Amino acid sequence: MTTVTTSTAGTTGSVGAAHARLEGRDKVTGAARYAGEVPFAELAHGWLVLSTITRGRIRSVETGPVLEMPGVLTVLHHGNAPRIDGNYQGMMGPPDPVIQVFQHDRVPHAGWPVALVVAETSEQAREAAESLVVRYEEEPHDVVFGAGSPGAYVPDSETPTEKGDVEAELASSAVVVDAEYTTPEEHHSAMEPHAAMARWDSGRLEVVDSNQGSMWVASELAKLFSLDPGAVRVRSEHVGGAFGAKGIRPHQVCAVMAATVLHRPVRVVLTRRQTFSLVGYRSPTAQRVRLGADADGRLRAVDHQALSVTSTVHEFLERSADAGRAMYAADALHTVNRLVRVDVPTPTFMRAPGEAPGSFALESALDELAEKCGIDPIALRARNEPAVGPASGLPFSSRNLLACFDEGAARFGWAQRDPRPGIRREGRWLLGTGTAASSFPSGAAPSTASVTAEADGSFTVRITAADVGTGARTALTLIAADALEVAPERIRMKIADSDFGPAMVAGGSMGTRSWAWAVTTAAADLREQLALGGGIPPQGITVRADTGAAVQALTQKERHSFGAQFAEVAVDVTSGEVRVRRMLGVFAAGRIVNPLTARSQFIGGMTWGLSMALHEEAVRDQASGGHVGADLAGYHFAAHADVPPIEAAWVEDPDPDDPVGIKGIGEIGIVGAAAAIANAVWHATGVRHRNLPIRPDRVLQAGTAAHGAG
C-alpha cells in the first residue's frame, strides 16, 4: 500500500487561473483522433442516399446494378433493413422519426434517408450511392413559411405567459412600439461533420461517435434496437464542434444496422450537404413585439409573440418569445410561441435556442422604444430593471446586468456617443454604435462521477462529459484539482464514455456546471475516506457520486447569466456593405473556471452573433423544397476578414447555490449580439433593419426607400 496526502501546499486555486487546453497540442499536431479517423480492422464504409423529392413515396430501389459494382457489400433500404422500435421516450422526449431509417416508403421532406450503400472503401461506397436509382411517386408539397402562414398553433409544450392586461396597458401608454422582426433558417455547420463507427464485440455494441453526450446516444440506440442498456457502449473522445446538432442522428443508426447485417465494423460519415437535411437547424422565426411605456420610458406592457416552423412528422419548438420572461419589469406581460407545420426537416436546438433569435427582436424593439422616448438605450434598460423575475415572480439567484452595462459603457466609450443617427461619417462610410442586453438560463442536471486515488499519488476522474471544443476537459481538471487540493498535473481526466454512467449532455450551458457538481461531490467523499488512513492499495480507492438529489434540491430562484453587448459598425452608402469595426461583451455568468477558454467561448458566441446579423441565411427553393446552396460556398457565415477586434470581459457573479459558483457560458455570447449590431446600423444610417441578415441589397433598398419617403 501507498500513503497519499491530498493537501499539498501551493496547489489550490487552480479554478480562476488561465490554463491551456490539456489536449491542445494533440489537436494542433493531428495526434487527436476524431470519430471519422479512428482505425479499425476490417472496417467497411457506408454512404447515405437521400431523397430527391420533397414529399411522396418510394416506388422502387434498384439495387441490382449497384450490388455488382466494385467493393459494394450491401444496400440497405426500407425493403430489407432491420426493424427498429421508435416508440419510446428518450432524454429529449419522443425521437425524431428521421432516425427511424428505412422503416417505410414515405418521404416527408427533401433529403430524407432512403438507402445506405456499404462498400470496402468510402470512395466505392460514394460512387455506388451516386449511381443508385430510386424511383418515387411524388406528391404536392409546401415549404413556405412566414408571419401569415396558415395553420399556426400553440403546441402542448408551450405555456403562454399572462400577467396583467396587455391591451389596456398599451392603450394607456404614452409611447408604443409595434413591430415585426424575422430571422432566417440557420445551420450549425460544425467544423467536424457527423461520423460514427459501429461494431459488435462479444455480444456488445460499441460505437465511436462525434456527439454531445455519449450516454444520451447509447441510451437511444439501446431503445431503438431493443437492447439492454448495459449492452451498448458509446465513446466520443474528441468532437470538432456540435452547437446542438450532435445527438442521436441517422448516421449512427445506419452504422449499427450495417454492422449487424455484415458482422463487421461499419463507419458512416455525413457529407456537409447531407447535414443540411439530417441533423436539424435553427428554425426561421417571425416575431411581433409590442411595447408600451410612459413618456419617461417606464414599461407598462410587453407583448412578444413568436412563430417558428416544424416538420410534419415531429414537433420542435424554437422558444423565441421566452427571451423577455426574465428581462424587464412591466405592469403587463404576454409571451407566446406558436408553430406551423410544413414539409421540411425537423429543426433542433442550436446555440442559444430561442434566446438568440428572440433577443434580436426584443432588444431591437427596446432600442426603438429608447429612440421614441428620447432616452439613452442603457438608461432605458436600467429604468426597467426588475426586482424579481418578471414572469415567475421568483428572486434572482444573482442579477448583475447593470454592472455589465456600467463596465461595458466605460470600456466602450459610450458616454461620448451622440445619440442622433446618421451624422458620423468617414468618406463613404456612415458610422454608428449600438448596444443590447443578453441573458440565458442557468441550470444543472443530475450527473454521476467517480474519482480514484491511485497508488502512484495521482487521481483518475471518470465522467461521461463531452468536450465539444469548449475546453470542458481542462475545466473539469482544474475543478477536480481544487476539490482534491492537489496540482492539476496529478489529475487524469477521462470523459465521453457511456460506461462511466449517466451525465448531463454538453448543451443548454449546463454541461460544466452539472459535471463539476458531480466531480466535487465525489472528490469530497474520497477525501473523507482517505482521511481515515490505511493507505492506498495497488488497485486504488474509488468513490462514486450521483448528484440527483442535490440538484433537485436547488432553492427556488430564477437563475440566469446576463450580459451587455456593444458594437460599432461602418456602413458603405454606395455598396450597402456593413462592416463591424469592434465589439465588446461584458458578462455576469457565474464563476469563471478557466479565463483562457472562457474568453474563447464568449468571443466565439459574439462572432456567431455577427455572422447571424450580417451573413447567415439558408434559402429554400419553393419549387423543389430543397436548399439553394446547401454547402459552405452557398451558406455564408463570417470569415476571418469579417471579424473585427472583439473584447470579452466579465464581472464577479458567483452562484451562491453552486458548489463551484458556476452558471454557464457556452451560449450567452451569441445572445443580443445581432441586436447590438442592428441597433448600430440604425445609429449609422437612421434606418431600422428588422429582418436578418442585414445584407447589402437590403441596406440599399432601405436607404432608397427612406430617401424617397424623405
Side-chain angles (χ1 to χ4, degrees), residues 402-412 566 584 586 649-651:
L402 296 187
C404 294
F405 272 115
D406 289 344
E407 178 69 17
R411 287 177 179 243
F412 198 74
F566 296 83
L584 166 67
V586 180
W650 47 85
V651 299

Side-chain angles (χ1 to χ4, degrees), residues 397-551:
S397 61
S398 62
R399 182 183 170 101
N400 289 311
L401 175 59
L402 296 187
C404 294
F405 272 115
D406 289 344
E407 178 69 17
R411 287 177 179 243
F412 198 74
W414 188 262
Q416 288 74 49
R417 177 184 191 258
D418 188 324
R420 296 173 297 170
I423 63 169
R424 289 180 60 201
R425 188 165 188 147
E426 290 180 1
R428 70 177 192 269
W429 298 92
L430 291 170
L431 307 181
T433 54
T435 191
S438 304
S439 78
F440 197 79
S442 172
S447 296
T448 299
S450 68
V451 181
T452 301
E454 307 287 1
D456 64 0
S458 66
F459 296 85
T460 301
V461 179
R462 294 176 176 86
I463 185 166
T464 313
D467 192 331
V468 295
T470 57
R473 179 187 277 102
T474 307
L476 291 174
T477 298
L478 303 180
I479 290 165
D482 276 8
L484 293 165
E485 294 190 358
V486 300
E489 291 74 22
R490 289 173 62 184
I491 304 297
R492 184 183 298 107
M493 183 62 58
K494 294 185 176 293
I495 65 171
D497 187 332
S498 63
D499 276 359
F500 297 160
M504 176 60 188
V505 303
S509 294
M510 297 168 62
T512 300
R513 183 182 189 189
S514 302
W515 306 324
W517 204 315
V519 169
T520 54
T521 302
D525 292 347
L526 177 61
R527 290 184 63 197
E528 287 185 7
Q529 188 164 336
L530 292 176
L532 298 176
I536 299 174
Q539 70 273 20
I541 297 175
T542 298
V543 170
R544 187 178 179 91
D546 182 343
T547 62
V551 169

Side-chain angles (χ1 to χ4, degrees), residues 2 8 23 31 61 64 130 177 190 236 272 276 278 285 291-292 348 370 428 432 453 464 471 483 529 612 652 695:
T2 302
T8 305
E23 79 286 7
V61 182
E130 291 175 349
V177 170
S236 185
R272 182 67 61 185
F276 276 76
L278 292 182
T285 71
L291 304 176
T348 194
R428 70 177 192 269
T464 313
Q529 188 164 336
M612 177 182 177
E652 287 294 318
R695 302 188 313 247

Side-chain angles (χ1 to χ4, degrees), residues 54-55 108-110 140-143 310 312 341-345 620 625:
T54 296
R55 183 184 175 98
H109 61 70
H141 64 260
D142 177 16
V143 297
T310 194
T312 60
R341 292 187 181 275
V342 290
D343 300 314
V344 297
R620 288 191 180 274

Side-chain angles (χ1 to χ4, degrees), residues 184 186 360 429 567-571 576-583 606-617 635-639 641-644 673-682 689 691-699:
E186 299 168 357
F360 165 68
W429 298 92
E568 180 179 10
V569 304
V571 182
E577 179 186 12
V578 178
R579 281 281 178 183
V580 178
R581 289 195 165 184
R582 60 188 176 112
M583 293 180 74
M606 294 168 70
T607 301
W608 200 329
L610 182 157
S611 198
M612 177 182 177
L614 303 182
H615 303 288
E616 296 196 40
E617 180 180 27
Y635 180 76
H636 294 168
F637 50 81
D642 298 302
V643 182
I677 292 170
N679 294 338
V681 172
W682 167 80
H689 287 270
N691 306 296
L692 294 184
I694 307 174
R695 302 188 313 247
D697 62 309
R698 287 176 169 169
V699 173

Side-chain angles (χ1 to χ4, degrees), residues 77-101:
H77 53 86
H78 72 280
N80 65 2
R83 299 295 94 183
I84 56 177
D85 182 9
N87 185 25
Y88 66 86
Q89 288 287 321
M91 184 180 294
M92 302 297 178
D96 185 341
V98 76
I99 70 170
Q100 299 167 48
V101 291

